[in-house]
Amino acid sequence: MTLIANTPEPPYYAVIFTSLRTPENHGYGLMAERMAELAAQQPGFLGMESARDALGITVSYWESLEAIAQWKRQVEHREAQRLGRSDWYAAYRVRVARVERDYGFGEQGAT
């Protein structure tokens, strides 16, 4: 995965997942890797960016709202959501936004 996702010309959609972790780590890293791998296989997936310190933020990019809805319903993803609520997250927020403009600088920047 590149540091900055290479996204197409807008419009497209961003799903912004912001989270606060619990101290529990039972399988979190493996599940996070699996979800990134699985998301990349989904129809309509465009890319992902993620950063974690005290606050975690993952932004995934999608062609359409339907592609996002299909990802939300994916069986393994639903299990990860369940485990997130029960074990890994003290709090989280999901926001869905339509990207209207996209510009950047440098080799890994979106154009």
Side-chain angles (χ1 to χ4, degrees):
M1 177 168 48
T2 60
L3 295 177
I4 299 175
N6 185 17
T7 49
E9 288 294 316
Y12 54 87
Y13 292 87
V15 175
I16 305 148
F17 178 74
T18 308
S19 63
L20 295 172
R21 289 283 317 278
T22 64
E24 301 303 317
N25 208 28
H26 309 288
Y28 178 81
L30 289 175
M31 183 65 84
E33 287 178 20
R34 175 64 181 149
M35 289 302 101
E37 175 185 291
L38 191 58
Q41 298 171 13
Q42 300 306 300
F45 177 81
L46 301 174
M48 185 181 327
E49 300 158 344
S50 189
R52 174 160 295 285
D53 195 17
L55 179 73
I57 300 175
T58 298
V59 183
S60 58
Y61 301 100
W62 301 87
E63 289 179 351
S64 67
L65 292 173
E66 180 55 34
I68 294 167
Q70 288 177 8
W71 169 238
K72 184 173 173 57
R73 292 188 301 261
Q74 202 281 343
V75 174
E76 285 183 69
H77 184 218
R78 294 199 45 88
E79 176 62 7
Q81 292 170 48
R82 186 190 69 74
L83 289 169
R85 285 188 298 275
S86 67
D87 296 350
W88 298 320
Y89 299 117
Y92 69 84
R93 196 77 158 163
V94 177
R95 297 170 176 97
V96 178
R98 181 179 156 114
V99 176
E100 298 289 340
R101 283 183 26 179
D102 176 343
Y103 58 92
F105 170 79
E107 197 170 307
Q108 287 195 10
T111 56

